[in-house]
Amino acid sequence: MRPVDVISRKRDGHELTAEEIRSFVTAAASGSGWQDAQLSALLMAIYLKGMSAEETVVLTREMTDSGKRLDLSDIPGPKVDKHSTGGVGDKTSLILAPLVAACGVNVPMMSGRGLGHTGGTLDKLEAIPGFRVNLSEAEFRTAVRAVRIGMIGQTRDVAPADKTLYAMRDVTGTVECIPLITASILSKKLAEGIEGLVMDVKCGRGAFMKTREKARALANTIVKVAKLNGLRCEAVITAMDAPLGRAVGNSLEVIESIEALKGNGPADLTELSVNLAARMVQLSGVVKTLAEAERKVTNALTSGQGVEAFRQMVAQQGGDARVVDDYTRLPTAPKTHDVTATSAGVIVSLDAEAIGLASMKLGGGRARSEDTIDPAVGVIVRAKPGEEVRVGDAVFTVHYRDESRFHPILPQLHSAYTLTTGSPSELPLILEEVT
Ligand code: URA
């Protein structure tokens, strides 16, 4: 089979055969058989012509099998994970993993790093002194056995075809493509050895998917393709117009997560974390209904079992668990500055993307994947939508190190909120579910 023929068939709108998809994926993983130009051309043809559910199922399976599938069947108990398509201030993984573990369900979680305006779970965890996200497979297994949680980065052996293709998509304008996103996300999740997956598909100005229609289309495809690959899966579409919670920036988000586990979290963050955790518990099969799962998760939160599970998880992965009681052990920015309201009113909207970019520019995130980050810096949202401010009240507190990084983001933050004199209409956080 010649790559040019496969590309031409997709260009002309035909469905690819399993052999054609396998040839493409094998070449991406091995670096031979297809030229990079040909891999990129097929990515663009898929972007333009789409893929059927059947093609996407095959692409996902082939991408999973381009690497190693972890077999965790020797570890007792159900194994479930959650994946978010990425947002600003989204630290739910740090909260729900301990809550789910406290309910007797294993959470073997392979997460990513932040890129652009969105944050990544690994970067947040690495703000904790000593915390290791690069566990060996044996260490990962030991962690899941010991504390029911393992939180690591994607290893070299997992879905190698995705590494090549994702990097290519990044430079060829082919990232925003539902079949390619689906196969990319699910190939890594299927390789984790989990039985169930809850997807949080973010929707709004701070998300990948800006509209409800696009978020719904992605959620539907992911759920369908996951199930056809033998993985129990459900999705929720959640609002990502304003940051989730108040903290944006790695160390600041760890503090907010611990506070949430102690029962002092912002309402939106706690609501979503509990909801996603409950879905994971229900999907695991340890309870029958979502209401039962919600009661179990809420009990884990209010009884303090969740925060204890967090402490154990941190210690298990080499981190300083004393951070749970002493936030001064976390990296702290040397300077802070309040961005204050210049008129009075009620906050009607916050621009999550602008706030995420501000944190990134302070050093809290990456413009390119090879950038290093400063865990201490970030932005605290002092006034969330629906909250009232008077002239001079703080809307944001910026935590920063370098004046040269701080000054350019000030105008950006001043235009990252809007005020109303009326009462703002309240939008729900959890918009839809897809099962
Ligand atoms: N996250 C992924 O892992 N892959 C995509 O294609 C998009 C988001």
Side-chain angles (χ1 to χ4, degrees):
M1 165 193 328
R2 295 188 318 155
V4 64
D5 296 328
V6 181
I7 297 162
S8 306
R9 278 179 20 80
K10 183 45 78 182
R11 178 201 64 199
D12 295 340
H14 297 292
E15 227 175 89
L16 300 181
T17 65
E19 289 68 36
E20 287 170 328
I21 294 171
R22 186 171 309 127
S23 166
F24 164 66
V25 173
T26 305
S30 66
S32 62
W34 290 46
Q35 297 167 20
D36 281 1
Q38 293 173 315
L39 294 172
S40 303
L42 186 58
L43 288 171
M44 183 55 83
I46 294 170
Y47 180 93
L48 294 171
K49 298 291 175 173
M51 273 187 150
S52 68
E54 290 71 27
E55 286 176 292
T56 312
V57 170
V58 175
L59 178 64
T60 304
R61 194 182 56 229
E62 291 299 331
M63 282 173 59
T64 309
D65 289 335
S66 72
K68 186 167 181 177
R69 278 186 196 247
L70 276 181
D71 178 3
L72 302 179
S73 57
D74 57 325
I75 299 177
K79 288 126 209 134
V80 296
D81 192 7
K82 185 258 348 177
H83 183 78
S84 154
T85 55
V88 179
D90 182 2
K91 69 274 299 169
T92 56
S93 292
L94 273 64
I95 303 162
L96 59 79
L99 291 176
V100 172
C103 294
V105 177
N106 297 301
V107 188
M109 195 179 254
M110 242 182 248
S111 305
R113 297 195 177 274
L115 190 60
H117 69 280
T118 64
T121 299
L122 300 181
D123 298 326
K124 300 180 216 284
L125 290 168
E126 282 183 341
I128 301 170
F131 197 101
R132 288 178 53 224
V133 297
N134 59 343
L135 303 184
S136 67
E137 186 185 325
E139 289 171 322
F140 181 60
R141 284 175 180 282
T142 303
V144 177
R145 262 182 200 283
V147 298
R148 294 206 179 96
I149 310 173
M151 297 185 106
I152 57 169
Q154 189 186 343
T155 65
R156 233 181 307 146
D157 311 335
V158 167
D162 179 61
K163 281 213 190 77
T164 306
L165 295 176
Y166 197 51
M168 258 175 207
R169 287 164 59 206
D170 208 24
V171 294
T172 56
T174 52
V175 170
E176 292 90 355
C177 168
I178 286 176
L180 295 178
I181 295 174
T182 300
S184 169
I185 291 175
L186 287 181
S187 60
K188 290 170 279 196
K189 293 290 142 186
L190 284 162
E192 276 178 358
I194 51 173
E195 293 131 17
L197 174 68
V198 173
M199 277 298 305
D200 180 4
V201 178
K202 300 282 184 201
C203 169
R205 64 202 296 185
F208 231 157
M209 298 284 139
K210 306 284 182 207
T211 67
R212 188 79 83 88
E213 290 67 33
K214 285 190 179 160
R216 190 182 295 134
L218 178 61
N220 278 323
T221 305
I222 290 177
V223 170
K224 185 170 181 181
V225 171
K227 286 180 179 169
L228 288 168
N229 270 297
L231 181 63
R232 284 188 289 219
C233 182
E234 64 181 58
V236 279
I237 299 172
T238 66
M240 182 35 72
D241 292 302
L244 190 61
R246 293 182 186 272
V248 180
N250 298 295
S251 202
L252 299 171
E253 292 193 46
V254 170
I255 296 171
E256 190 169 67
S257 303
I258 298 170
E259 281 298 303
L261 284 166
K262 290 177 180 171
N264 308 321
D268 60 344
L269 176 63
T270 304
E271 178 195 343
L272 185 56
S273 303
V274 168
N275 186 283
L276 293 170
R279 288 174 192 280
M280 291 167 75
V281 170
Q282 189 197 9
L283 211 57
S284 78
V286 300
V287 292
K288 287 218 161 44
T289 67
L290 188 58
E292 247 179 293
E294 251 163 24
R295 277 196 296 278
K296 224 171 150 57
V297 169
T298 305
N299 180 51
L301 181 67
T302 52
S303 66
Q305 287 167 289
V307 79
E308 283 317 306
F310 180 89
R311 201 189 296 274
Q312 288 174 9
M313 181 264 291
V314 170
Q316 181 68 35
Q317 296 201 210
D320 182 353
R322 292 172 297 178
V323 298
V324 172
D325 307 304
D326 180 2
Y327 301 144
T328 64
R329 292 185 176 275
L330 287 162
T332 309
K335 299 174 203 164
T336 60
H337 173 89
D338 285 346
V339 175
T340 54
T342 49
S343 56
V346 175
I347 301 282
V348 66
S349 70
L350 291 173
D351 183 343
E353 184 168 11
I355 298 163
L357 282 174
S359 175
M360 183 200 90
K361 288 177 187 167
L362 288 169
R366 298 182 184 78
R368 291 163 309 159
S369 53
E370 59 274 23
D371 291 348
T372 53
I373 60 167
D374 181 346
V377 300
V379 176
I380 296 285
V381 176
R382 302 280 296 278
K384 294 266 288 178
E387 293 175 355
E388 203 170 339
V389 288
R390 291 162 306 178
V391 175
D393 281 353
V395 181
F396 304 110
T397 300
V398 184
H399 291 241
Y400 69 102
R401 195 178 300 279
D402 295 341
E403 298 291 333
S404 62
R405 284 177 177 252
F406 162 67
H407 287 289
I409 65 147
L410 269 185
Q412 217 169 310
L413 285 177
H414 271 290
S415 51
Y417 68 94
T418 51
L419 294 174
T420 176
T421 45
S423 46
S425 54
E426 230 180 82
L427 282 176
L429 177 61
I430 299 169
L431 304 170
E432 283 178 41
E433 61 176 53
V434 175
T435 56

